[in-house]
Amino acid sequence: MLTHSKSAKSDGPLTEALAHSGLRLTPQRQQVHEVLREKMDHPTADQVFMRAKHKMPEISMATVYNCLDALVTCGLVRQVTLDRGATRYCPNMQDHSHFYCDECGSVYDILQTISPEDADIKLPRGFRLKNIETNLHGLCPDCAAKAK
Amino acid sequence: MLTHSKSAKSDGPLTEALAHSGLRLTPQRQQVHEVLREKMDHPTADQVFMRAKHKMPEISMATVYNCLDALVTCGLVRQVTLDRGATRYCPNMQDHSHFYCDECGSVYDILQTISPEDADIKLPRGFRLKNIETNLHGLCPDCAAKAK
DNA sequence: ATTGTATTTAGAATAGTTCTAAATCTTGAC
DNA sequence: GTCAAGATTTAGAACTATTCTAAATACAAT
């Protein structure tokens, strides 16, 4: 196979975050992260794959999953599971929650959330809480209008 | 004893809840609901299927999904999606949240939650909020101990 | 009883994710 | 630089989860 220059462009924050989890920065991981940040519409692995292929035609589905896992592991991306369908990915690591329209399946970022402190969650002895995920379910404006 | 009578035993609350969504009480729906309440360990559809088969050997997987959907639709059961794996089902309709161990995948009910009022979520115009799902992620006591 | 609709069923089909083994790339020791 | 060890990528197969389909059955209302 023809190999062009395969090394990743230097990217401080990405490199560091990955290294912290014992992972390397690769062009594929860089590309997947870029795809996620370009359009933060909570794409599925399959959508990420299709978008990544535009700039990197040889990338494979397995690699997309590998990259997504790597980015999740090192805290650069959140996994969002809202229904029985495909898992979605979110590169917005700011504290926020997701609104899921039970009717049409669309997802919206809601820039408001419940912090662990505010929630004052008391867990039984031994549990170690890492983070709280808040998912809001209901109808999006479009579907709410139609439902009337 | 083998009962060939196929009609569902009367069950007021179940019947009513289903009827409210235009659905009938059937022996299968009754059985699936019973399985969920017998062991509230957040089983997957497949686990529900296997448990239901003990008392109802002819039940099919498609029916289990149909029944779970029916019970979710009429508000008797909650769907719980915590990771990329199979969806889990929870018949506890009390306000509560789920603790998910990111290490071993076990799920615990946490009888504490954030109410919509407490959260004071302000949604953009047009959204209609139905309910808030709170998922706690971290390590269960066993895994937390091992991690040390 | 009869008819129309809801529900169940088995199995096929589809969708989503993980696995495998070989090829390629990167890093670090020399 | 060269080499070996280990990490990563790749295509495709395999597997798991869910949905669909069409025929059979059950139910409710005439």
Side-chain angles (χ1 to χ4, degrees):
Chain A
M1 187 200 129
L2 226 64
T3 86
H4 306 279
S5 162
K6 285 266 185 147
S7 62
K9 283 162 266 168
S10 104
D11 182 330
L14 240 182
T15 310
E16 258 191 56
L18 284 161
H20 192 263
S21 298
L23 298 163
R24 294 177 188 160
L25 178 61
T26 67
Q28 289 85 350
R29 286 174 181 165
Q30 210 165 31
Q31 174 64 22
V32 165
H33 193 235
E34 214 170 295
V35 161
L36 286 174
R37 293 209 309 194
E38 249 165 27
K39 197 173 174 201
M40 311 210 333
D41 59 348
H42 310 90
T44 62
D46 198 60
Q47 292 175 310
V48 172
F49 175 51
M50 293 187 302
R51 293 178 196 175
K53 274 208 292 198
H54 292 147
K55 283 208 181 168
M56 195 177 263
E58 351 64 50
I59 199 169
S60 77
M61 196 65 203
T63 298
V64 168
Y65 273 106
N66 166 352
C67 292
L68 289 170
D69 286 348
L71 294 170
V72 168
T73 297
C74 71
L76 288 171
V77 165
R78 288 167 60 179
Q79 241 177 346
V80 184
T81 53
L82 292 161
D83 64 358
R84 267 178 347 202
T87 299
R88 297 150 176 284
Y89 298 86
C90 175
N92 177 358
M93 296 305 287
Q94 275 192 313
D95 226 13
H96 72 286
S97 53
H98 293 114
F99 184 97
Y100 179 70
C101 177
D102 290 324
E103 190 67 22
C104 69
S106 54
V107 180
Y108 300 83
D109 274 2
I110 301 297
L111 298 178
Q112 194 178 18
T113 191
I114 296 111
S115 67
E117 305 82 51
D118 289 358
D120 192 29
I121 295 284
K122 283 183 201 68
L123 289 166
R125 196 172 191 65
F127 286 88
R128 194 188 303 169
L129 183 62
K130 281 190 195 158
N131 66 298
I132 300 183
E133 179 196 347
T134 307
N135 298 324
L136 312 173
H137 289 256
L139 299 180
C140 71
D142 280 3
C143 293
K146 281 177 200 155
K148 275 197 176 153
Chain B
M1 190 200 76
L2 223 70
T3 87
H4 295 279
S5 160
K6 286 267 183 143
S7 61
K9 284 162 262 168
S10 103
D11 182 331
L14 238 182
T15 310
E16 258 189 58
L18 284 161
H20 193 264
S21 297
L23 299 163
R24 295 177 187 160
L25 178 61
T26 66
Q28 289 84 350
R29 286 174 181 165
Q30 210 165 32
Q31 174 63 20
V32 165
H33 193 234
E34 214 171 294
V35 160
L36 285 175
R37 296 210 306 194
E38 250 165 27
K39 196 172 175 202
M40 310 208 337
D41 60 347
H42 311 88
T44 62
D46 198 61
Q47 293 174 310
V48 172
F49 175 51
M50 293 189 300
R51 293 177 196 175
K53 273 207 290 198
H54 292 148
K55 282 207 180 167
M56 195 178 261
E58 350 66 48
I59 198 169
S60 77
M61 194 67 202
T63 299
V64 168
Y65 273 105
N66 165 352
C67 292
L68 289 170
D69 285 348
L71 294 170
V72 168
T73 297
C74 72
L76 289 170
V77 165
R78 288 168 60 179
Q79 241 176 348
V80 184
T81 52
L82 294 161
D83 64 1
R84 268 177 348 202
T87 298
R88 297 150 176 284
Y89 297 87
C90 174
N92 177 358
M93 295 307 286
Q94 275 191 313
D95 225 14
H96 72 286
S97 54
H98 293 114
F99 185 97
Y100 178 69
C101 177
D102 289 324
E103 189 68 22
C104 71
S106 54
V107 180
Y108 300 82
D109 274 1
I110 300 296
L111 299 177
Q112 195 179 16
T113 191
I114 295 118
S115 67
E117 305 83 51
D118 288 358
D120 189 30
I121 295 285
K122 281 185 202 67
L123 289 166
R125 197 172 190 68
F127 285 89
R128 195 188 302 168
L129 183 62
K130 281 190 191 157
N131 66 296
I132 300 184
E133 180 197 347
T134 307
N135 298 324
L136 312 173
H137 289 255
L139 298 179
C140 71
D142 280 5
C143 293
K146 281 177 201 156
K148 278 197 176 153

